Amino acid sequence: GRCPAGGNAQRATEPAFVAPIKLQWRLSDRLVSELRLAAEHWKALVDDVDLAVLHFTDYGPEWLKQHKAGPDAWMQMALQLAYYKLYNSHTPTYETGHTRLFLHGRTETVRTLSVETVEFTKAMLDKSLDAKSKAAKLEQAIAAHQAYMADAVAGKGCDRHLLGLRIMATRSGLPLPEIFTDKAFSESAYWRLSTSNVPLTYEMGGFGNVVPDGYGIPYVFRKDSVYFSICSRFSSAATHSGR
């Protein structure tokens, strides 16, 4: 309402505080048993988490910007090179792209792995190439990644579109188009590297791996450093977060 004459505002009446009351639940033996099993399952999942946090302090986004390198694309290339050096192979990589340009926009998949990133990682381990040639491959890979990111946030990505088509077919009772049962398509979305640039105001947060033999790697930029949270599973012989 309006302030009364004279400009003295009336303070709204605050609701009386009601002390909380502990609820007493009547649980059947079956429900107690299922709750116990759920707790055991939860504990097993927690105990299987292999988590390592790396605070990289050699440089941060400010230094990269001074040298005209996009910090996010640079870190994506670092993750590609690290994976290649560990496994001598390449893997489909997910990065979150935000579609905030659109009403109710959420995310789109940015596929980091590309022809250019493969050429870059191979060049870095090729002793016959000089530093200038390797730098050129890095620049090409960064440019390709930034172009993909720009398309994804502008609604020109492919993954959410394909997901929508698959959901429509399933809900309509239609047979799935062959692309969704193709081995190459399934392998292309098996995210052994699931990554995201996480804009946190506190030091670190994270998420887990999305496939049993993969890694979940969010990273947080600070002015002169980068925090990496590296998550995998102890039960997987293929992964080790501490490496």
Side-chain angles (χ1 to χ4, degrees):
R2 298 177 180 177
C3 292
N8 296 319
Q10 297 285 337
R11 186 174 182 180
T13 302
E14 296 182 357
F17 174 76
V18 178
I21 300 174
K22 183 178 180 180
L23 299 177
Q24 301 296 329
W25 298 92
R26 293 192 297 270
L27 304 176
S28 66
D29 291 342
R30 177 182 176 184
L31 186 54
V32 169
S33 176
E34 290 184 355
L35 286 171
R36 186 179 297 113
L37 288 174
E40 292 173 357
H41 178 64
W42 171 82
K43 186 176 185 305
L45 290 174
V46 171
D47 290 344
D48 196 29
V49 173
D50 180 7
L51 176 64
V53 176
L54 169 66
H55 186 198
F56 181 80
T57 59
D58 287 5
Y59 54 80
E62 290 301 314
W63 183 87
L64 290 170
K65 291 174 184 176
Q66 290 171 10
H67 291 78
K68 299 181 180 180
D72 182 71
W74 180 282
M75 291 306 158
Q76 286 292 318
M77 296 309 111
L79 294 175
Q80 290 295 299
L81 181 57
Y83 190 92
Y84 184 61
K85 291 176 72 174
L86 281 173
Y87 296 98
N88 195 34
S89 64
H90 302 90
T91 191
T93 304
Y94 173 95
E95 182 186 7
T96 304
H98 295 282
T99 53
R100 298 192 185 100
L101 291 173
F102 302 93
L103 181 65
H104 304 311
R106 296 194 65 188
T107 66
E108 174 59 277
T109 299
V110 178
R111 292 172 172 261
T112 302
L113 181 65
S114 65
V115 172
E116 290 82 4
T117 61
V118 170
E119 291 179 350
F120 156 66
T121 55
K122 289 183 175 180
M124 289 299 292
L125 301 187
D126 188 342
K127 296 180 180 180
S128 68
L129 296 179
D130 59 18
K132 185 176 181 180
S133 299
K134 294 179 180 182
K137 290 295 183 182
L138 172 59
E139 291 175 357
Q140 291 167 11
I142 285 177
H145 184 73
Q146 290 175 326
Y148 199 119
M149 176 65 80
D151 281 344
V153 300
K156 300 177 183 178
C158 65
D159 283 272
R160 297 298 179 266
H161 176 70
L162 292 170
L163 175 62
L165 292 176
R166 179 155 67 176
I167 291 173
M168 289 173 63
T170 302
R171 290 183 176 178
S172 301
L174 300 173
L176 280 178
E178 291 183 3
I179 184 175
F180 297 117
T181 57
D182 187 273
K183 183 179 179 181
F185 178 80
S186 299
E187 182 62 28
S188 77
Y190 191 83
W191 311 114
R192 291 184 184 87
L193 282 181
S194 180
T195 72
S196 184
N197 173 7
V198 184
L200 297 178
T201 55
Y202 46 92
E203 285 189 354
M204 196 64 247
F207 49 79
N209 49 300
V210 298
V211 297
D213 55 342
Y215 296 92
I217 310 180
Y219 46 95
V220 178
F221 288 119
R222 292 292 175 261
K223 181 179 179 181
D224 297 309
S225 65
V226 188
Y227 282 93
F228 293 88
S229 171
I230 306 160
C231 186
S232 62
R233 298 186 187 180
F234 286 118
S235 58
S236 173
T239 59
H240 189 302
S241 294
R243 289 188 291 184

